[in-house]
Amino acid sequence: AQSVTQLGSHVSVSEGALVLLRCNYSSSVPPYLFWYVQYPNQGLQLLLKYTSAATLVKGINGFEAEFKKSETSFHLTKPSAHMSDAAEYFCAVSEAAGANSKLTFGKGITLSVRP
Amino acid sequence: GAGVSQSPRYKVAKRGQDVALRCDPISGHVSLFWYQQALGQGPEFLTYFQNEAQLDKSGLPSDRFFAERPEGSVSTLKIQRTQQEDSAVYLCASSLSGQGLNTIYFGEGSWLTVV
């Protein structure tokens, strides 16, 4: 069975500061990993995904994540936070690349950005 | 349409009432997913369709939940005899095909409150 752990429920950073959102996964097979962002009253939007190619994945809006198998981690980072980054962020894992690519999500982390 | 469309966006149901939630996936998308997102939690998988075939319904929490996609496009999630614990956001998602790791696009969700 697959699972995702996102420690903590809320992260607050100053505008311009580094953003680091942690994600650890458990999977019985090589995983596919995702980060999604959810703005208030909007659907989930894909930020980036790891599909066993490069371990450092670049996504939209300046975000990137690094797959570390030894640490079973897929932390999300952004060098400089912007006010518009305030949202809820979900890490997700999938064990299948084929027809049934159902996702298992973590509980999510709310990112606040202080001016 | 341009994105995954869900209706109604907001629904208040009295306990014991039946509800139906509609999903219009992106035109031409073969795969369709339903997820349930309780307050403060990440989305949880309910069921998956490939065209009109329901290939996985392992996440449906009880036999009060039923989903269909009779013509392989629009899908309806029906909840019979609603209970308070059914209060959640119901997310629909679609992807282009059942092969490969296509991006999954989420709708804005249907917010169900059972009173």
Side-chain angles (χ1 to χ4, degrees):
Chain A
Q2 57 197 23
S3 66
V4 170
T5 301
Q6 293 183 254
L7 291 177
S9 60
H10 186 224
V11 169
S12 180
V13 301
S14 298
E15 191 173 19
L18 171 72
V19 175
L20 170 61
L21 303 180
R22 299 178 184 275
C23 172
N24 289 88
Y25 70 90
S26 172
S27 177
S28 56
V29 299
Y32 299 91
L33 295 158
F34 307 81
W35 275 98
Y36 281 85
V37 60
Q38 187 174 38
Y39 298 102
N41 297 319
Q42 293 189 26
L44 293 163
Q45 180 181 4
L46 181 67
L47 275 178
L48 48 80
K49 61 184 178 184
Y50 166 75
T51 58
S52 75
T55 56
L56 182 62
V57 181
K58 294 186 183 299
I60 61 172
N61 301 339
F63 285 93
E64 62 182 37
E66 186 173 8
F67 171 68
K68 292 187 177 180
K69 183 178 178 180
S70 61
E71 299 177 7
T72 61
S73 69
F74 190 58
H75 302 330
L76 182 71
T77 60
K78 182 174 181 178
S80 176
H82 193 273
M83 297 296 291
S84 62
D85 294 327
E88 192 156 17
Y89 292 80
F90 293 93
C91 181
V93 62
S94 172
E95 292 184 348
N100 184 12
S101 305
K102 70 181 181 184
L103 300 169
T104 298
F105 287 87
K107 290 187 176 182
I109 298 175
T110 300
L111 175 66
S112 299
V113 181
R114 303 185 300 271
Chain B
V4 178
S5 178
Q6 294 188 245
S7 61
R9 288 294 317 279
Y10 304 94
K11 174 71 177 178
V12 179
K14 292 185 177 180
R15 192 173 57 166
Q17 188 178 0
D18 296 350
V19 299
L21 308 176
R22 177 188 169 105
C23 173
D24 282 86
I26 294 172
S27 179
H29 277 198
V30 167
S31 295
L32 186 145
F33 304 82
W34 283 98
Y35 286 82
Q36 180 190 57
Q37 186 176 13
L39 189 65
Q41 302 295 318
E44 292 192 356
F45 171 81
L46 293 177
T47 187
Y48 163 71
F49 290 86
Q50 186 173 353
N51 295 308
E52 69 279 3
Q54 189 175 20
L55 300 185
D56 187 343
K57 54 182 180 179
S58 61
L60 296 176
S62 78
D63 59 6
R64 297 186 295 104
F65 287 71
F66 173 76
E68 60 182 5
R69 194 186 185 197
E71 297 179 359
S73 55
V74 171
S75 177
T76 303
L77 176 66
K78 297 179 179 178
I79 309 172
Q80 297 177 323
R81 305 180 304 282
T82 53
Q83 304 294 315
Q84 283 191 319
E85 61 262 29
D86 300 335
S87 296
V89 180
Y90 291 86
L91 297 169
C92 179
S94 69
S95 67
L96 184 59
S97 79
Q99 303 301 321
L101 203 60
N102 298 116
T103 297
I104 297 174
Y105 296 89
F106 283 82
E108 295 180 336
S110 289
W111 295 64
L112 173 65
T113 302
V114 181
V115 298

